[in-house]
Amino acid sequence: MKVLSAIVPCYNEEENIVDFYHEFMKNEAFFREKDVALELYFIDDGSKDGTAAEVKKLAGRDERVHLVSFSRNFGKEAAIYAGLEKAKGDYVVFLDADLQDPPSLLPEMYGYVEQGYDSVATRRVTRKGEPPLRSFFARIFYRLMKKISRTEIMDGARDYRLMTRQVVDAILSMGEYNRFSKGIFGWVGFETKWLEFENIERKKGETKWSFWRLFLYSIDGITAFSTAPLAFAAFMGVLFCLAAFALIIFTIVRKAIFGDPTSGWPSLVCIISLVSGVQLFCLGIVGQYLAKTYMEVKRRPIYLVKEEI
Ligand code: UDP
Ligand code: MG
């Protein structure tokens, strides 16, 4: 008998746990027929509400339910990694606790794995119900990533993925500290089938991703999967050297023809401000990569477990 492990990152999701469990278990009959056993790993990412208590209640009734509680909030990426480490199934799937990743899609996803695909990924084709500003920046981010990264990162991709043990082991072999799963999934490759669905709004509770948090996350994604900004900094350097060279020639010629080399104080101020701005910006880019390298070099654990059931 094969085992399908579902990993559910939860951060303050007490209202959703039971609903999720029932929705997920609707697939039980389908998988029993396929001779596949189900197990659930709720990764409590340092919730401050009754999430862990809700999961414990479920675990008391159903031994297929497991709980991993973090010592604090480590972020969804850490929860995904922890889930991968804990899950022992032949197949592993991630789902959000808020039912935005419909469990009813699982039989179809499993069908593709049976056909020989190594992983089945999902993407939402609409962003219905999302603030327009957020959708706008999300589009820009994906378009930019497409240009500057060689790793395939799909617009609208969800973390809702079903994968075989081989893919899971490949992802686990990437022990980096700055984790950007959408990039990691693309980086490991393998045969992936993409399913599309319309955006489903969160059933209960609130999103945990503020605009600012998403912005920082996008910078994580860029630095983790592209070094193009560094090349951009070098390019700016060359560009400004050329401009400065042209300016020198211009100044010399002007002096030779008209005299008075000391005029032009306002333009000098403008040039100095512009150039120092560009310099600081490029220094900032280098700083970002340095900071990420610093965090990586420390080799801190990606998460810490407080309790496990
Ligand atoms: N989540 C998490 N840790 C966090 C933030 C979110 O484990 O620090 C979980 C959350 O409980 C949910 C999933 O990640 O199951 C997706 O989060 P959310 O629904 O808030 O994001 P959105 O769907 O709005 O992008
Ligand atoms: Mg959600």
Side-chain angles (χ1 to χ4, degrees), residues 8-13 16 43-47 70 73-77 79-80 95-101 124 130 134 158-159 200 202 206-209 213-214:
V8 191
C10 309
Y11 180 47
N12 297 343
E13 303 278 8
N16 287 318
I43 316 292
D44 166 26
D45 185 10
S47 301
F70 287 177
N73 179 245
F74 279 88
K76 187 183 179 188
E77 292 293 346
I80 286 180
L95 306 100
D96 283 1
D98 57 6
L99 290 171
Q100 278 190 295
D101 300 330
R124 44 181 185 177
E130 207 184 52
R134 180 177 290 206
R158 308 246 348 138
D159 289 330
I200 300 165
R202 174 181 260 280
E206 275 169 19
T207 176
K208 313 300 177 306
W209 297 84
R213 194 167 172 186
L214 274 176

Side-chain angles (χ1 to χ4, degrees), residues 4-306:
L4 170 69
S5 314
I7 297 169
V8 191
C10 309
Y11 180 47
N12 297 343
E13 303 278 8
E14 62 176 356
E15 304 149 287
N16 287 318
I17 301 290
V18 174
D19 290 356
F20 174 85
Y21 172 80
H22 289 304
E23 198 60 36
F24 180 79
M25 284 305 171
K26 281 186 186 161
N27 294 309
E28 205 178 353
F30 171 86
F31 282 103
R32 193 178 306 125
E33 218 161 84
K34 297 273 178 192
D35 221 16
V36 175
L38 299 176
E39 59 170 9
L40 267 169
Y41 283 87
F42 287 98
I43 316 292
D44 166 26
D45 185 10
S47 301
K48 289 176 189 70
D49 65 355
T51 301
E54 285 294 322
V55 177
K56 275 183 208 165
K57 263 191 255 167
L58 281 180
R61 277 189 277 136
D62 186 340
E63 57 175 17
R64 294 170 297 177
V65 175
H66 304 260
L67 169 71
V68 179
S69 259
F70 287 177
S71 61
R72 64 167 170 86
N73 179 245
F74 279 88
K76 187 183 179 188
E77 292 293 346
I80 286 180
Y81 187 73
L84 283 176
E85 279 194 329
K86 303 291 173 191
K88 295 284 172 285
D90 305 273
Y91 305 105
V92 172
V93 63
F94 307 109
L95 306 100
D96 283 1
D98 57 6
L99 290 171
Q100 278 190 295
D101 300 330
S104 54
L105 224 57
L106 276 172
E108 190 184 350
M109 291 168 90
Y110 185 75
Y112 285 110
V113 170
E114 266 187 324
Q115 277 176 32
Y117 283 101
D118 303 299
S119 101
V120 183
T122 60
R123 58 187 287 257
R124 44 181 185 177
V125 281
T126 57
R127 287 180 171 270
K128 186 179 55 142
E130 207 184 52
L133 196 69
R134 180 177 290 206
S135 305
F136 173 72
F137 279 105
R139 289 240 164 72
I140 291 187
F141 170 74
Y142 284 110
R143 218 176 289 161
L144 182 73
M145 278 310 260
K146 203 167 231 154
K147 292 228 165 67
I148 64 175
S149 175
R150 289 206 292 166
T151 306
E152 185 194 42
I153 295 168
M154 275 279 198
D155 187 1
R158 308 246 348 138
D159 289 330
Y160 186 18
R161 269 187 191 244
L162 178 70
M163 49 189 91
T164 59
R165 179 52 39 195
Q166 196 185 13
V167 180
V168 172
D169 289 339
I171 293 172
L172 280 174
S173 72
M174 297 172 78
E176 59 210 71
Y177 181 79
N178 292 298
R179 302 190 74 77
F180 184 70
S181 283
K182 288 180 174 65
I184 290 177
F185 295 147
W187 193 89
V188 296
F190 294 99
E191 195 93 43
T192 303
K193 171 76 188 170
W194 284 91
L195 298 182
E196 294 180 348
F197 67 90
E198 301 242 328
N199 189 34
I200 300 165
E201 285 184 54
R202 174 181 260 280
K203 289 270 156 6
K204 293 173 186 164
E206 275 169 19
T207 176
K208 313 300 177 306
W209 297 84
S210 63
F211 187 79
W212 181 240
R213 194 167 172 186
L214 274 176
F215 176 73
L216 293 179
Y217 185 57
S218 70
I219 295 195
D220 280 350
I222 291 171
T223 48
F225 283 93
S226 172
T227 50
L230 288 173
F232 169 78
F235 171 75
M236 289 301 268
V238 174
L239 198 73
F240 273 75
C241 283
L242 290 178
F245 192 67
L247 215 67
I248 290 168
I249 292 176
F250 171 75
T251 313
I252 292 173
V253 170
R254 195 176 57 172
K255 154 76 182 152
I257 298 173
F258 302 107
D260 186 21
T262 53
S263 75
W265 189 82
S267 53
L268 199 64
V269 172
C270 295
I271 292 168
I272 290 179
S273 336
L274 175 69
V275 172
S276 45
V278 170
Q279 269 178 355
L280 280 180
F281 179 59
C282 292
L283 198 64
I285 292 177
V286 178
Q288 273 301 316
Y289 283 89
L290 184 66
K292 297 289 175 205
T293 313
Y294 176 57
M295 292 312 284
E296 211 64 63
V297 163
K298 287 197 202 192
R299 292 252 139 252
R300 284 187 183 160
I302 294 169
Y303 62 90
L304 290 175
V305 173
K306 186 177 77 181

